[in-house]
Amino acid sequence: MPASVTDSATPIACLIVIGNEILSGRTQDANIRFLATRLAEIGIPLREVRVIPDVRETIVAVVNELRAKFDYVFTTGGIGPTHDDITSECVAEAFGRPWIVHEEARRRLAAHYKPGEFNAARMRMATMPAGAALIDNPVSVAPGFIIGNVHVMAGVPRVMQAMFETLAPSLRGGPPVVSRTVSVLGLPEGIVAEGLGAIQKRHPALDIGSYPFYRPTGNGTALVAKGTDADAVAKAAGEIRALIESFGKQAVEGEIP
Amino acid sequence: MPASVTDSATPIACLIVIGNEILSGRTQDANIRFLATRLAEIGIPLREVRVIPDVRETIVAVVNELRAKFDYVFTTGGIGPTHDDITSECVAEAFGRPWIVHEEARRRLAAHYKPGEFNAARMRMATMPAGAALIDNPVSVAPGFIIGNVHVMAGVPRVMQAMFETLAPSLRGGPPVVSRTVSVLGLPEGIVAEGLGAIQKRHPALDIGSYPFYRPTGNGTALVAKGTDADAVAKAAGEIRALIESFGKQAVEGEIP
């Protein structure tokens, strides 16, 4: 996204996906797209994603690098009860804070488990950097947490999504980005490229993208105009329609399924 | 993945996903998992993924940072004909090379398009850093390229996958990582955590992971042992089975669908 799409007052976000299972190919990531979509709706563009392994030095270094660069840092993964769940203690180390039992988190977990099942491994899920604020977990109780601008969430998509929605009302975004898609069948992007480049030049504050698709129902191109100025987006979308029609093709509003 | 899983002679890889469409949530990424899986099979563990926007300074800086850190760098996205396809010229800048027409790439594209359709925008797809070697594209002709340890591929998954398979025979991996999964229904990871930690301690050269799942058919945990020593992996998998059975539950080989 050109820097011009959002002004300097718009907060920007990054996501750190922590987990060997993504890097080994075991697990298909489902968190990037969810967070990207929801953050865009809130007006906090996602500007970078890092996928990193469950390695202490890496997690500490990346958290410290990115919390200095972005207004909002989100992490997913590594906050369960097993030996490979080290995100929480690494975030404590990154902030130079002790890693201690959070009383309210302990209370919630103690109330949730049957007597005798709140064992030492599960107590790890109540152990957090000193001063952390809880992120509620309506699905499986064990909370995430916030420290500074870092928001630590679960990796399981259904739990992460529930945590994010409890957070969402407290996030402060800039003006939301408006997006319009115009699609066409049978017109390759190489043919519209020159005209599309001219539209981008006429609207330097917008982000004009071109995405070819190949489907059983036919090949084509989706052209997307995006920005915080809804009138400019509408104008650019009109110019994209006219460009498509100048090649004798039919412009379709939205994506072609 | 603990550094111990692979020795220092094992080459490691990173992937740079270039594209606003992933960061905006428009597109669900399908390239990370494919590359992670194929690279693991070849014995080149994927150790980091960065998703970055189509911004020149960002692409140049990230390519230069990561080509110094990893044996193999792969990029996906941004090599089409439109104004937002800037990966190729950014890689040229990162390497301090001129960005010039590659004669063989030009010849292939000229042979592919109808007369008059090989326009200036499409000529961009034949323009590469000086000295680049082509990566064949059996799907849509326009090639990727290799320069130094950087492998530049298309973003469309079907094209990227075809490009990768033409590359694969030339990639030199270390010993492939062997993986065994043992799953269990109705046994939360918080209960097996302590025993699992002990198994990890007995096999420091392996990577033992725990992945809870929540499915309509039931909740449970998948436990994974991974490493380059197949005998050690088999031994650890046996210990994981015994751990599960010690709680009176049935251990299932592989994932539970």
Side-chain angles (χ1 to χ4, degrees), chain B residues 177-201:
Chain B
V177 170
V178 178
S179 174
R180 281 275 294 278
T181 299
V182 183
S183 299
V184 57
L185 281 170
L187 190 61
E189 58 173 1
I191 298 294
V192 296
E194 191 188 340
L196 196 71
I199 296 173
Q200 174 71 81
K201 282 221 176 73

Side-chain angles (χ1 to χ4, degrees), chain B residues 4 12 21 40 47 77 81 85 87 91 109 126 151 160 170 175 197-198 201 229:
Chain B
S4 54
I12 56 174
E21 69 276 20
R47 286 290 173 80
D85 290 308
T87 297
V91 172
L109 289 167
H151 301 68
M160 185 280 285
S170 68
K201 282 221 176 73
D229 178 346

Side-chain angles (χ1 to χ4, degrees), chain A residues 172-187:
Chain A
R172 306 273 310 253
V177 171
V178 179
S179 173
R180 279 276 295 278
T181 299
V182 183
S183 300
V184 56
L185 282 170
L187 189 62

Side-chain angles (χ1 to χ4, degrees), chain A residues 12-254:
Chain A
I12 56 174
C14 73
L15 166 62
I16 309 173
V17 176
I18 301 168
N20 295 345
E21 69 277 21
I22 306 293
L23 292 172
S24 71
R26 178 188 182 277
T27 303
Q28 167 66 48
D29 167 73
N31 291 340
I32 296 173
R33 190 182 194 185
F34 173 85
L35 267 178
T37 304
R38 289 292 289 118
L39 287 169
E41 287 166 359
I42 293 168
I44 306 174
L46 181 66
R47 285 292 173 80
E48 181 172 337
V49 179
R50 298 250 183 131
V51 187
I52 59 172
D54 304 317
V55 171
R56 173 181 285 269
E57 309 75 54
T58 306
I59 298 171
V60 172
V62 170
V63 166
N64 275 333
E65 178 190 344
L66 297 184
R67 72 188 176 96
K69 268 176 77 174
F70 292 90
D71 301 295
Y72 287 98
V73 176
F74 297 89
T75 78
T76 62
I79 61 167
T82 57
H83 65 275
D84 54 340
D85 289 308
I86 60 173
T87 297
S88 172
E89 57 204 269
C90 292
V91 172
E93 186 177 329
F95 278 83
R97 300 272 183 99
W99 189 58
I100 60 174
V101 171
H102 188 293
E103 267 314 307
E104 170 62 13
R106 192 199 58 72
R107 194 194 59 71
R108 290 184 195 181
L109 289 166
H112 173 64
Y113 291 114
K114 295 190 197 113
E117 293 204 337
F118 189 23
N119 56 26
R122 283 171 163 160
M123 186 63 94
R124 289 172 54 82
M125 298 193 287
T127 313
M128 297 176 180
L134 299 186
I135 302 176
D136 295 343
N137 173 355
V139 172
S140 51
V141 181
F145 63 85
I146 307 170
I147 179 166
N149 59 344
V150 178
H151 301 69
V152 175
M153 304 188 293
V156 173
R158 173 168 102 87
V159 180
M160 185 281 286
Q161 292 172 20
M163 284 182 174
F164 183 82
E165 296 307 343
T166 74
L167 262 186
S170 68
L171 303 176
R172 306 273 310 253
V177 171
V178 179
S179 173
R180 279 276 295 278
T181 299
V182 183
S183 300
V184 56
L185 282 170
L187 189 62
E189 57 173 1
I191 298 295
V192 296
E194 193 189 339
L196 197 70
I199 295 172
Q200 174 72 83
K201 281 219 177 76
R202 280 199 295 278
H203 300 281
L206 301 185
D207 173 25
I208 311 283
S210 169
Y211 307 106
F213 59 82
Y214 306 91
R215 309 241 169 84
T217 45
N219 300 340
T221 309
L223 302 169
V224 180
K226 226 166 22 187
T228 52
D229 178 345
D231 290 342
V233 169
K235 188 154 184 295
E239 292 173 22
I240 292 170
R241 294 189 74 94
L243 173 65
I244 290 170
E245 287 159 2
S246 76
F247 292 101
K249 298 284 182 183
Q250 195 193 342
V252 177
E253 195 68 26

